Amino acid sequence: ALNLPDIKDRETRLRLDKLRRLKDTKVLIKKLDISHFAGKEVTPELLYQVLDGLKALRSVEEVNLSHNGLGDNFIDVISDYLMLKGLYRINLSHNNLTKASVKKLVATLKGCRRLESIDVSYNPFNLDEYSCILVCSSLKECDKIIHFGISDSSRESGLRFVRNHPTLTSVILDDSRYKKKAWESLTRIRSNKKKYKINRLSLKFCKIDFIYAVQPLIRAFKRNITLTYLNLYNTGLDDHSGALIISAFCNHKLLEELDLGANFLSIHFCKAFGRVLRTNNILRKVNITKNHTISKEDYFYILEGLVNNQSIISLGDLIDMKIGVKCRECSEKLLNLNKCSEWRILENIK
Protein backbone atom coordinates (compact mmCIF):
# COMPACT_ATOMS: atom_id res chain seq x y z
CA ALA A 1 0.00 0.00 0.00
CA LEU A 2 1.13 3.55 -0.73
CA ASN A 3 -0.44 6.10 1.63
CA LEU A 4 0.18 9.81 1.09
CA PRO A 5 -2.47 11.94 2.90
CA ASP A 6 -0.40 12.44 6.07
CA ILE A 7 2.58 14.07 4.36
CA LYS A 8 3.35 17.46 5.95
CA ASP A 9 3.11 20.53 3.70
CA ARG A 10 6.85 21.28 3.85
CA GLU A 11 7.73 17.76 2.78
CA THR A 12 5.02 17.35 0.16
CA ARG A 13 6.81 18.80 -2.86
CA LEU A 14 9.98 16.76 -2.27
CA ARG A 15 8.14 13.49 -1.63
CA LEU A 16 5.81 13.84 -4.62
CA ASP A 17 8.72 14.70 -6.90
CA LYS A 18 10.38 11.40 -5.92
CA LEU A 19 7.13 9.48 -6.44
CA ARG A 20 7.05 10.50 -10.09
CA ARG A 21 10.00 8.16 -10.66
CA LEU A 22 8.20 5.13 -9.16
CA LYS A 23 7.02 4.08 -12.61
CA ASP A 24 10.62 3.29 -13.51
CA THR A 25 10.96 0.79 -10.64
CA LYS A 26 9.63 -2.73 -10.10
CA VAL A 27 7.51 -1.74 -7.10
CA LEU A 28 4.41 -3.92 -6.56
CA ILE A 29 1.67 -1.65 -5.17
CA LYS A 30 -1.94 -2.79 -4.89
CA LYS A 31 -3.48 0.05 -2.87
CA LEU A 32 -2.83 3.68 -3.78
CA ASP A 33 -4.02 6.45 -1.44
CA ILE A 34 -3.41 9.97 -2.79
CA SER A 35 -6.12 11.98 -1.04
CA HIS A 36 -6.72 15.15 1.01
CA PHE A 37 -4.29 17.32 -0.95
CA ALA A 38 -6.81 20.12 -1.45
CA GLY A 39 -5.52 23.25 0.32
CA LYS A 40 -1.96 21.96 0.73
CA GLU A 41 1.14 23.46 -0.85
CA VAL A 42 0.85 21.34 -3.98
CA THR A 43 0.33 22.86 -7.41
CA PRO A 44 -2.22 21.21 -9.74
CA GLU A 45 0.56 20.74 -12.29
CA LEU A 46 2.73 18.73 -9.88
CA LEU A 47 -0.21 16.62 -8.68
CA TYR A 48 -1.17 15.89 -12.29
CA GLN A 49 2.40 14.77 -13.07
CA VAL A 50 2.39 12.45 -10.03
CA LEU A 51 -0.97 10.88 -10.91
CA ASP A 52 -0.01 10.58 -14.55
CA GLY A 53 3.21 8.80 -13.57
CA LEU A 54 1.70 6.44 -11.00
CA LYS A 55 -0.92 5.11 -13.40
CA ALA A 56 1.95 3.09 -14.92
CA LEU A 57 1.80 0.86 -11.82
CA ARG A 58 -0.27 -1.92 -13.39
CA SER A 59 -0.59 -3.85 -10.13
CA VAL A 60 -2.92 -1.26 -8.53
CA GLU A 61 -6.28 -2.68 -7.40
CA GLU A 62 -7.61 0.16 -5.21
CA VAL A 63 -7.22 3.95 -5.67
CA ASN A 64 -8.34 6.72 -3.31
CA LEU A 65 -8.29 10.17 -4.96
CA SER A 66 -10.86 11.83 -2.66
CA HIS A 67 -10.64 15.36 -1.20
CA ASN A 68 -8.20 16.60 -3.83
CA GLY A 69 -10.40 19.14 -5.64
CA LEU A 70 -8.95 17.88 -8.92
CA GLY A 71 -11.49 19.48 -11.25
CA ASP A 72 -12.41 18.72 -14.86
CA ASN A 73 -8.82 19.11 -16.09
CA PHE A 74 -7.98 15.80 -14.41
CA ILE A 75 -10.74 13.74 -16.06
CA ASP A 76 -8.30 12.22 -18.59
CA VAL A 77 -5.95 10.87 -15.94
CA ILE A 78 -8.95 9.67 -13.86
CA SER A 79 -10.20 7.77 -16.92
CA ASP A 80 -6.77 6.20 -17.33
CA TYR A 81 -6.97 4.86 -13.76
CA LEU A 82 -10.46 3.49 -14.38
CA MET A 83 -9.15 1.58 -17.39
CA LEU A 84 -6.47 -0.22 -15.38
CA LYS A 85 -7.22 -3.94 -15.82
CA GLY A 86 -6.67 -4.81 -12.16
CA LEU A 87 -8.60 -1.88 -10.64
CA TYR A 88 -11.58 -2.92 -8.49
CA ARG A 89 -12.16 0.07 -6.18
CA ILE A 90 -11.93 3.85 -6.72
CA ASN A 91 -12.95 6.87 -4.62
CA LEU A 92 -13.52 10.12 -6.54
CA SER A 93 -15.51 12.06 -3.93
CA HIS A 94 -14.85 15.76 -3.14
CA ASN A 95 -13.07 16.43 -6.45
CA ASN A 96 -14.95 19.37 -7.96
CA LEU A 97 -15.99 17.37 -11.03
CA THR A 98 -18.70 19.23 -12.95
CA LYS A 99 -21.14 18.10 -15.64
CA ALA A 100 -18.51 19.05 -18.25
CA SER A 101 -16.52 15.94 -17.29
CA VAL A 102 -19.50 13.56 -17.05
CA LYS A 103 -19.49 12.56 -20.75
CA LYS A 104 -15.89 11.32 -20.54
CA LEU A 105 -16.52 9.68 -17.14
CA VAL A 106 -19.62 7.85 -18.37
CA ALA A 107 -17.88 6.60 -21.53
CA THR A 108 -15.13 5.09 -19.38
CA LEU A 109 -17.45 3.59 -16.74
CA LYS A 110 -19.40 1.66 -19.38
CA GLY A 111 -16.34 -0.52 -19.90
CA CYS A 112 -15.61 -1.05 -16.19
CA ARG A 113 -17.71 -4.15 -15.50
CA ARG A 114 -15.11 -5.41 -13.00
CA LEU A 115 -15.63 -2.53 -10.52
CA GLU A 116 -16.62 -3.51 -6.98
CA SER A 117 -16.63 -0.04 -5.39
CA ILE A 118 -17.02 3.53 -6.69
CA ASP A 119 -17.76 6.78 -4.84
CA VAL A 120 -18.54 9.97 -6.81
CA SER A 121 -20.34 11.86 -4.02
CA TYR A 122 -19.78 15.54 -3.17
CA ASN A 123 -19.02 16.59 -6.75
CA PRO A 124 -20.81 19.53 -8.44
CA PHE A 125 -22.20 17.33 -11.23
CA ASN A 126 -24.41 15.68 -8.58
CA LEU A 127 -26.53 18.84 -8.66
CA ASP A 128 -27.43 18.17 -12.29
CA GLU A 129 -30.22 15.61 -12.58
CA TYR A 130 -29.29 14.49 -16.10
CA SER A 131 -25.64 13.91 -15.08
CA CYS A 132 -26.72 11.70 -12.17
CA ILE A 133 -28.92 9.65 -14.49
CA LEU A 134 -26.05 9.17 -16.95
CA VAL A 135 -23.58 8.05 -14.26
CA CYS A 136 -26.04 5.59 -12.71
CA SER A 137 -27.00 4.21 -16.12
CA SER A 138 -23.34 3.61 -17.01
CA LEU A 139 -22.96 1.35 -13.96
CA LYS A 140 -25.91 -0.94 -14.70
CA GLU A 141 -23.67 -3.52 -16.36
CA CYS A 142 -21.31 -3.66 -13.35
CA ASP A 143 -22.58 -6.96 -11.96
CA LYS A 144 -19.93 -7.13 -9.22
CA ILE A 145 -20.37 -3.70 -7.63
CA ILE A 146 -21.03 -3.86 -3.87
CA HIS A 147 -20.30 -0.27 -2.78
CA PHE A 148 -21.71 2.89 -4.42
CA GLY A 149 -21.64 6.54 -3.36
CA ILE A 150 -23.40 9.57 -4.87
CA SER A 151 -24.97 12.84 -3.70
CA ASP A 152 -28.29 12.18 -5.36
CA SER A 153 -30.42 14.67 -7.28
CA SER A 154 -34.08 15.34 -6.52
CA ARG A 155 -35.12 12.92 -9.30
CA GLU A 156 -33.78 10.00 -7.22
CA SER A 157 -31.74 8.38 -9.99
CA GLY A 158 -29.18 7.19 -7.44
CA LEU A 159 -31.87 5.76 -5.20
CA ARG A 160 -33.47 3.88 -8.09
CA PHE A 161 -30.08 2.45 -9.00
CA VAL A 162 -29.57 1.29 -5.40
CA ARG A 163 -33.04 -0.24 -5.23
CA ASN A 164 -32.70 -2.21 -8.45
CA HIS A 165 -29.05 -3.23 -8.53
CA PRO A 166 -28.81 -6.85 -7.36
CA THR A 167 -25.34 -6.89 -5.72
CA LEU A 168 -25.11 -3.61 -3.74
CA THR A 169 -24.60 -4.00 0.01
CA SER A 170 -22.97 -0.66 0.96
CA VAL A 171 -24.48 2.70 -0.08
CA ILE A 172 -23.56 6.38 0.42
CA LEU A 173 -26.34 8.87 -0.41
CA ASP A 174 -24.83 11.81 1.51
CA ASP A 175 -26.06 15.36 0.87
CA SER A 176 -28.90 14.16 -1.36
CA ARG A 177 -31.86 16.45 -2.01
CA TYR A 178 -34.76 14.07 -1.42
CA LYS A 179 -38.40 15.06 -1.27
CA LYS A 180 -41.49 13.25 0.09
CA LYS A 181 -41.72 10.57 -2.64
CA ALA A 182 -38.03 9.70 -2.28
CA TRP A 183 -38.37 8.92 1.42
CA GLU A 184 -41.36 6.72 0.65
CA SER A 185 -39.36 4.82 -1.96
CA LEU A 186 -36.70 4.05 0.66
CA THR A 187 -39.14 1.56 2.17
CA ARG A 188 -38.83 -0.44 -1.08
CA ILE A 189 -35.02 -0.55 -0.97
CA ARG A 190 -35.32 -4.24 -0.08
CA SER A 191 -36.88 -5.42 -3.35
CA ASN A 192 -37.22 -8.94 -4.73
CA LYS A 193 -34.71 -8.12 -7.47
CA LYS A 194 -31.87 -7.72 -4.98
CA LYS A 195 -29.71 -10.78 -4.52
CA TYR A 196 -28.09 -9.21 -1.45
CA LYS A 197 -29.44 -6.81 1.17
CA ILE A 198 -28.09 -3.39 2.19
CA ASN A 199 -25.96 -3.62 5.34
CA ARG A 200 -24.29 -0.17 5.29
CA LEU A 201 -26.23 3.04 4.57
CA SER A 202 -25.10 6.67 4.87
CA LEU A 203 -27.56 9.60 4.62
CA LYS A 204 -25.19 12.22 6.04
CA PHE A 205 -26.28 15.86 5.48
CA CYS A 206 -29.65 14.82 4.01
CA LYS A 207 -32.48 16.93 5.46
CA ILE A 208 -34.80 14.54 7.32
CA ASP A 209 -38.16 16.23 7.79
CA PHE A 210 -40.32 15.06 10.72
CA ILE A 211 -43.54 15.06 8.68
CA TYR A 212 -42.38 13.47 5.40
CA ALA A 213 -39.20 11.52 6.14
CA VAL A 214 -39.14 10.02 9.64
CA GLN A 215 -41.96 7.47 9.37
CA PRO A 216 -40.85 6.13 5.94
CA LEU A 217 -37.30 5.82 7.29
CA ILE A 218 -38.49 3.84 10.31
CA ARG A 219 -40.47 1.47 8.05
CA ALA A 220 -37.40 1.05 5.84
CA PHE A 221 -35.18 0.24 8.83
CA LYS A 222 -37.64 -2.33 10.18
CA ARG A 223 -37.88 -4.05 6.79
CA ASN A 224 -34.13 -4.07 6.17
CA ILE A 225 -33.13 -6.35 9.03
CA THR A 226 -29.62 -6.83 7.58
CA LEU A 227 -28.53 -3.23 8.33
CA THR A 228 -25.32 -3.10 10.41
CA TYR A 229 -24.26 0.56 9.92
CA LEU A 230 -26.36 3.73 9.59
CA ASN A 231 -25.11 7.33 9.31
CA LEU A 232 -27.61 10.13 10.04
CA TYR A 233 -25.00 12.77 10.94
CA ASN A 234 -26.18 16.40 10.59
CA THR A 235 -29.55 15.55 9.07
CA GLY A 236 -31.54 18.11 11.09
CA LEU A 237 -33.18 15.51 13.35
CA ASP A 238 -35.20 17.11 16.13
CA ASP A 239 -35.78 15.58 19.56
CA HIS A 240 -38.96 13.66 18.70
CA SER A 241 -37.55 12.36 15.41
CA GLY A 242 -34.43 11.10 17.15
CA ALA A 243 -36.52 9.35 19.80
CA LEU A 244 -38.63 7.55 17.17
CA ILE A 245 -35.59 6.46 15.15
CA ILE A 246 -33.58 5.13 18.11
CA SER A 247 -36.69 3.29 19.37
CA ALA A 248 -37.01 1.55 16.00
CA PHE A 249 -33.72 -0.23 16.73
CA CYS A 250 -34.75 -1.44 20.17
CA ASN A 251 -34.91 -5.09 19.05
CA HIS A 252 -32.80 -4.89 15.88
CA LYS A 253 -30.63 -8.00 15.61
CA LEU A 254 -27.69 -6.73 13.53
CA LEU A 255 -27.23 -2.92 13.74
CA GLU A 256 -23.85 -2.24 15.39
CA GLU A 257 -23.04 1.38 14.48
CA LEU A 258 -25.35 4.41 14.44
CA ASP A 259 -24.26 8.02 13.87
CA LEU A 260 -26.66 10.69 15.18
CA GLY A 261 -24.09 13.45 15.66
CA ALA A 262 -24.65 17.18 15.03
CA ASN A 263 -28.45 17.10 15.35
CA PHE A 264 -30.95 18.65 17.79
CA LEU A 265 -31.56 15.77 20.19
CA SER A 266 -32.71 16.38 23.76
CA ILE A 267 -34.71 14.83 26.63
CA HIS A 268 -37.14 12.67 24.60
CA PHE A 269 -34.26 11.11 22.68
CA CYS A 270 -32.28 10.50 25.88
CA LYS A 271 -35.23 8.74 27.50
CA ALA A 272 -35.77 6.54 24.43
CA PHE A 273 -32.04 5.81 24.10
CA GLY A 274 -31.89 4.83 27.78
CA ARG A 275 -34.70 2.31 27.23
CA VAL A 276 -32.95 0.89 24.16
CA LEU A 277 -29.68 0.47 26.08
CA ARG A 278 -31.46 -1.73 28.65
CA THR A 279 -32.65 -4.24 26.04
CA ASN A 280 -30.31 -3.98 23.06
CA ASN A 281 -26.93 -5.69 23.42
CA ILE A 282 -26.02 -5.54 19.72
CA LEU A 283 -25.29 -1.81 19.31
CA ARG A 284 -21.58 -1.12 19.80
CA LYS A 285 -21.12 2.49 18.67
CA VAL A 286 -23.68 5.32 18.80
CA ASN A 287 -22.28 8.76 17.99
CA ILE A 288 -24.21 11.56 19.74
CA THR A 289 -21.46 14.19 19.69
CA LYS A 290 -22.27 17.84 18.83
CA ASN A 291 -25.86 17.52 20.06
CA HIS A 292 -25.58 20.70 22.10
CA THR A 293 -29.25 20.59 23.10
CA ILE A 294 -28.62 17.60 25.41
CA SER A 295 -28.33 18.91 28.96
CA LYS A 296 -26.77 17.31 32.02
CA GLU A 297 -30.22 16.35 33.33
CA ASP A 298 -31.17 14.76 29.96
CA TYR A 299 -27.97 12.75 29.86
CA PHE A 300 -28.77 11.02 33.16
CA TYR A 301 -31.31 8.84 31.29
CA ILE A 302 -28.50 7.60 29.01
CA LEU A 303 -26.26 6.91 32.02
CA GLU A 304 -28.98 4.82 33.64
CA GLY A 305 -29.23 2.76 30.46
CA LEU A 306 -25.45 2.35 30.22
CA VAL A 307 -25.37 0.74 33.67
CA ASN A 308 -27.48 -2.15 32.31
CA ASN A 309 -25.77 -2.38 28.91
CA GLN A 310 -22.90 -4.70 28.02
CA SER A 311 -22.24 -3.90 24.35
CA ILE A 312 -21.80 -0.12 23.85
CA ILE A 313 -18.12 0.84 23.64
CA SER A 314 -18.38 4.38 22.18
CA LEU A 315 -20.73 7.38 22.23
CA GLY A 316 -18.42 9.62 20.20
CA ASP A 317 -16.43 12.60 21.48
CA LEU A 318 -18.34 13.98 24.48
CA ILE A 319 -15.92 16.86 25.24
CA ASP A 320 -18.09 19.51 23.53
CA MET A 321 -21.29 18.21 25.12
CA LYS A 322 -22.85 20.31 27.91
CA ILE A 323 -23.15 17.40 30.32
CA GLY A 324 -20.49 18.22 32.90
CA VAL A 325 -17.17 16.60 33.77
CA LYS A 326 -18.61 14.01 36.17
CA CYS A 327 -21.08 12.69 33.57
CA ARG A 328 -18.29 12.34 31.01
CA GLU A 329 -16.04 10.53 33.47
CA CYS A 330 -18.86 8.19 34.49
CA SER A 331 -19.60 7.44 30.83
CA GLU A 332 -15.96 6.66 30.12
CA LYS A 333 -15.80 4.23 33.05
CA LEU A 334 -18.94 2.39 31.93
CA LEU A 335 -17.77 2.24 28.30
CA ASN A 336 -14.32 1.02 29.36
CA LEU A 337 -15.97 -1.81 31.31
CA ASN A 338 -17.67 -2.97 28.12
CA LYS A 339 -14.36 -2.71 26.21
CA CYS A 340 -12.62 -4.83 28.85
CA SER A 341 -15.41 -7.41 28.73
CA GLU A 342 -15.10 -7.54 24.96
CA TRP A 343 -11.37 -8.22 25.17
CA ARG A 344 -11.94 -11.00 27.71
CA ILE A 345 -14.46 -12.66 25.37
CA LEU A 346 -12.03 -12.45 22.45
CA GLU A 347 -9.23 -13.91 24.53
CA ASN A 348 -11.44 -16.82 25.60
CA ILE A 349 -12.34 -17.51 21.98
CA LYS A 350 -8.65 -17.53 21.01
Side-chain angles (χ1 to χ4, degrees):
L2 183 61
N3 191 351
L4 301 180
D6 296 328
I7 295 177
K8 295 180 181 179
D9 289 342
R10 293 182 180 179
E11 301 172 344
T12 300
R13 181 176 293 277
L14 179 61
R15 299 265 184 103
L16 290 181
D17 190 53
K18 290 180 179 179
L19 282 171
R20 283 185 296 180
R21 296 192 290 273
L22 267 178
K23 63 179 180 179
D24 300 323
T25 68
K26 295 182 180 180
V27 178
L28 184 65
I29 295 176
K30 292 190 175 182
K31 183 177 180 180
L32 193 61
D33 190 340
I34 306 180
S35 60
H36 293 81
F37 276 98
K40 292 194 175 184
E41 296 178 0
V42 182
T43 63
E45 293 78 13
L46 179 58
L47 191 56
Y48 187 94
Q49 290 175 18
V50 172
L51 292 174
D52 190 52
L54 291 179
K55 71 185 182 185
L57 299 170
R58 298 296 175 182
S59 58
V60 174
E61 296 179 355
E62 181 176 350
V63 177
N64 182 6
L65 300 176
S66 65
H67 295 83
N68 284 326
L70 298 178
D72 297 331
N73 293 332
F74 282 74
I75 190 61
D76 289 331
V77 72
I78 289 173
S79 297
D80 290 338
Y81 275 97
L82 283 167
M83 287 188 289
L84 290 175
K85 290 184 178 180
L87 189 75
Y88 297 104
R89 303 175 186 88
I90 189 166
N91 188 343
L92 299 173
S93 64
H94 297 85
N95 267 314
N96 202 28
L97 299 175
T98 69
K99 61 182 181 180
S101 60
V102 167
K103 185 176 181 180
K104 175 78 173 179
L105 181 64
V106 166
T108 309
L109 287 174
K110 285 182 178 179
C112 298
R113 297 189 61 177
R114 68 197 174 281
L115 275 181
E116 293 179 0
S117 172
I118 182 169
D119 189 346
V120 292
S121 58
Y122 298 101
N123 283 297
F125 78 77
N126 293 156
L127 296 171
D128 182 61
E129 295 174 354
Y130 184 62
S131 296
C132 285
I133 293 171
L134 286 177
V135 171
C136 292
S137 298
S138 67
L139 293 170
K140 285 183 178 179
E141 300 300 320
C142 297
D143 52 4
K144 296 181 180 179
I145 191 167
I146 58 175
H147 173 79
F148 174 64
I150 193 170
S151 297
D152 206 2
S153 66
S154 57
R155 288 186 66 178
E156 311 156 29
S157 52
L159 190 56
R160 285 197 298 274
F161 173 76
V162 170
R163 194 169 61 240
N164 296 322
H165 202 283
T167 60
L168 276 177
T169 60
S170 176
V171 180
I172 294 176
L173 296 172
D174 293 355
D175 201 27
S176 297
R177 293 153 295 282
Y178 290 144
K179 298 178 181 179
K180 181 180 178 180
K181 289 184 179 179
W183 295 115
E184 288 290 345
S185 65
L186 260 176
T187 60
R188 301 190 298 276
I189 202 169
R190 185 187 176 189
S191 66
N192 295 327
K193 294 181 181 180
K194 293 187 70 63
K195 182 178 179 181
Y196 304 101
K197 306 298 184 247
I198 302 297
N199 53 42
R200 295 181 65 86
L201 176 63
S202 179
L203 296 169
K204 189 177 179 181
F205 298 125
C206 297
K207 181 175 174 52
I208 297 179
D209 184 79
F210 178 76
I211 299 175
Y212 300 125
V214 173
Q215 290 299 332
L217 272 177
I218 291 173
R219 290 197 296 272
F221 299 153
K222 287 182 176 179
R223 289 190 66 191
N224 197 340
I225 58 175
T226 59
L227 202 64
T228 61
Y229 170 85
L230 176 64
N231 190 341
L232 299 178
Y233 184 90
N234 201 353
T235 51
L237 286 174
D238 59 26
D239 192 23
H240 292 282
S241 300
L244 290 171
I245 287 174
I246 195 68
S247 298
F249 295 110
C250 187
N251 297 312
H252 202 280
K253 303 298 183 183
L254 291 177
L255 189 75
E256 295 183 354
E257 294 185 45
L258 177 62
D259 195 336
L260 295 170
N263 285 299
F264 303 97
L265 310 177
S266 188
I267 185 169
H268 295 290
F269 166 79
C270 292
K271 286 181 177 179
F273 189 23
R275 290 192 293 270
V276 170
L277 288 172
R278 292 186 183 92
T279 58
N280 187 312
N281 282 308
I282 304 297
L283 275 171
R284 297 178 67 252
K285 297 179 181 180
V286 180
N287 182 26
I288 59 171
T289 189
K290 294 186 179 180
N291 279 285
H292 301 301
T293 46
I294 294 180
S295 66
K296 180 180 178 180
E297 291 73 20
D298 301 339
Y299 193 76
F300 279 136
Y301 293 103
I302 296 178
L303 282 178
E304 290 175 358
L306 280 176
V307 172
N308 301 304
N309 184 275
Q310 298 178 350
S311 64
I312 292 285
I313 61 173
S314 175
L315 292 175
D317 188 358
L318 301 177
I319 294 177
D320 294 332
M321 301 277 287
K322 300 176 182 178
I323 58 176
V325 176
K326 289 185 177 180
C327 281
R328 279 198 297 271
E329 290 177 349
C330 186
S331 294
E332 289 174 3
K333 289 179 181 178
L334 292 169
L335 294 172
N336 285 332
L337 282 173
N338 287 343
K339 289 179 183 178
C340 293
S341 301
E342 191 176 65
W343 277 109
R344 291 194 194 100
I345 292 170
L346 289 173
E347 287 176 358
N348 291 334
I349 291 173
K350 291 178 181 178

